[in-house]
Amino acid sequence: MSGTMREIIHLSSETLLIDWNLILKKIGVSGNKDHIKIINDIFRTAKEKFLESCNPTGIISDITIEEFDAVYRGEGKNESLTPLTAIFRRADNLALYIVTLGNVLSQMITDLIKSNSITMAHMMDIIASEVTEIVADSIQNYYIKKLSEKDLINERTRVLRYSPGYCGWHISAQKKIFKHVRPEEIGISLNDGFIMDPLKSSSGVMISGPGEIHNFKNNFIFCQKCETHNCRERIKAGTLN
Amino acid sequence: MFEKLMDAIVNIREKEALEITQTLIDGNENVIKILDNCTAAIARVGKRFEAGEYFLPELLMSGEILKKISEMVKPKLEREVVSKKLGKVLIGTVKGDIHDIGKNIVSFLLDIHGFEVHDIGIDISPGKFVEEIKDFQPQVVGLSGLLTLAYDSMKNTIQAIEESGLRNSVKIMIGGGQMSEKISNYAGADAYGKDAMQGVTLVKKWIGVD
Ligand code: B12
Ligand code: SF4
């Protein structure tokens, strides 16, 4: 595709595939039966407040390999070798994306902290962080649907997404992503420290191409400092078509 | 009665804890004694957390109970007693980083352990830290950060504190997901706190509380 599609996608929080039990586990529940009940009650309220206040929205904007080369280089602060350097040049199609849960939710979390409802704020924050990724998943599925409508994928195609701030791709590259995607229209801005407002937002690139282009060894210099090594999981679980 | 109050807090029975507190207040019990017992209860909760018996929500919920009790006893405390905190801690997430869940928890726990905490937020530049230290005059400064790029932000912040001549007046601790003892040395901090309770322990040690 040649850098022409730009679409705003409004999602409904009810249609997102949220694994609430998994989120509850991440929040942390001890074995004490009485406490489980109390925590479940707070969690239920946190979940209701979250669903009321979140406004999941995203933008995708396709981009050519040449254009992405400049976006990727960003402010020239990337590690010299990263997984992406090899991947994006072999892609069939690429699209930049930015998603957000909206500022009502972020404000609500801030207000809860101020009013000392810290347990609830903490739960809402974890829910929001998890759901930001789920919204990005939905946007990715939408992109796959679009590609498939245009006959741009086949049985070997695999779509995975990558974000600045991870795996050697410096966070400052967000500046060029913003310039290309122009998410101000859906109320997302970037400050001088490359921080998105609202906070519950995420940005990056979705790369579509033959499955094997997404495989790489995690032996970059920066991998030594990596605590999660979650690229392994992501490569395994990536969206296969 | 005090043992019951502590038990209710430690076992997160909020309603009961607040009722006992009300009875104690109505019975003209010494409010400082009430607060001391609550603080001891929170310390027990902290121990359970460190032992892996309790998780973060329990730590936070017990803290919320203590906050509510503090509000209940406040009117009875003499004004000067209310403002008499154990010491001052300034805390913020360093430039370029917005992760604040952990920092909020550290602030909250320090507060309920009796410290005056000034939380200056996220994405704080070295210059802003210096300005706030001059204003607030804390004994301890806490730097929080979760990104690897926060390593350099922490170093720059501590350097700015040095350059402004304030380094000897404060102890500096760092913390947050990717931080470690090594980063603490790299950045020139005094210590690394692996979790919020350790942050409290460090501040207590530096300020000379128990
Ligand atoms: C939640 C989260 C987010 C949320 C943040 C919400 C918020 N309000 O904080 C959102 C979705 C907004 C987010 C955004 C981003 N994130 Co993030 N995020 C996380 C996640 C999943 C959890 C962090 C967390 O809150 N943990 C729970 C708290 C309680 O733990 P904690 O902060 O460590 O705090 C404890 C202790 O460390 C200690 N502590 C904390 N501070 C201090 C301070 C002192 C003084 C002391 C003594 C102790 C102390 O006490 C706390 C309680 O015990 C981590 C992954 C992970 N598992 O850590 C990634 C992670 C930190 N994020 C990461 C990244 C890259 C980003 C983004 C750049 C992604 C992007 N491209 O958009 C942006 C960051 C933008 C920016 N400039 O900061 C990376 C960092 C990688 C790296 N090496 O730099 C991580 C590790 C994910 C990963 N696997 O790669 N993120
Ligand atoms: S090991 Fe960590 S830093 Fe290295 S590629 Fe995988 S996720 Fe990225």
Side-chain angles (χ1 to χ4, degrees), chain A residues 125 129 164-166 200 228, chain B residues 96 98-100 102 144 146 148 176-178 196:
Chain A
D125 211 294
S129 297
Y166 296 94
K200 302 299 167 181
T228 62
Chain B
I98 51 96
H99 293 88
D100 67 353
S144 184
L146 268 80
T148 36
Q178 316 271 322

Side-chain angles (χ1 to χ4, degrees), chain B residues 165-185:
Chain B
L166 294 163
R167 184 65 182 91
N168 290 333
S169 65
V170 290
K171 285 279 189 189
I172 301 178
M173 60 177 182
I174 67 159
Q178 316 271 322
M179 299 304 144
S180 63
E181 212 64 72
K182 232 161 114 190
I183 307 301
S184 168
N185 291 335

Side-chain angles (χ1 to χ4, degrees), chain A residues 27-32 34-35 38-39 42 113 116-120 122-123 125-126 129 165 170-171 191-193 195-196 199-200 225-227, chain B residues 10-13 53-58 60-62 64 67 71 95-98 100-101 104-105 108 111 122-123 147-149 151 177-179:
Chain A
I27 286 169
V29 190
S30 72
N32 184 310
D34 297 330
H35 299 185
I38 307 169
I39 291 167
I42 304 177
I113 292 169
N116 276 318
S117 299
I118 195 112
T119 316
M120 179 81 78
H122 175 60
M123 285 190 184
D125 211 294
I126 294 195
S129 297
H170 198 268
I171 190 158
N191 76 6
D192 293 342
I195 286 163
M196 288 186 272
L199 279 180
K200 302 299 167 181
K225 284 193 216 147
C226 178
E227 300 233 326
Chain B
V10 171
N11 291 297
I12 330 284
R13 294 192 300 269
E53 293 164 34
Y54 274 14
F55 286 72
L56 208 47
E58 285 143 318
L60 299 179
M61 286 190 297
S62 64
E64 279 188 40
K67 273 264 169 196
E71 288 304 316
K95 180 83 193 152
D97 201 330
I98 51 96
D100 67 353
I101 303 175
N104 293 340
I105 295 167
F108 181 70
D111 180 23
I122 57 174
D123 188 25
L147 298 174
T148 36
L149 70 83
Y151 301 168
Q178 316 271 322
M179 299 304 144

Side-chain angles (χ1 to χ4, degrees), chain A residues 37-70:
Chain A
K37 195 186 163 309
I38 307 169
I39 291 167
N40 273 328
D41 284 347
I42 304 177
F43 185 62
R44 204 170 306 119
T45 314
K47 189 171 141 182
E48 280 164 15
K49 278 180 188 279
F50 173 81
L51 290 173
E52 270 167 33
S53 59
C54 111
N55 177 18
T57 312
I59 302 193
I60 39 177
S61 176
D62 62 11
I63 184 164
T64 61
I65 291 177
E66 295 70 37
E67 286 170 327
F68 182 69
D69 195 11

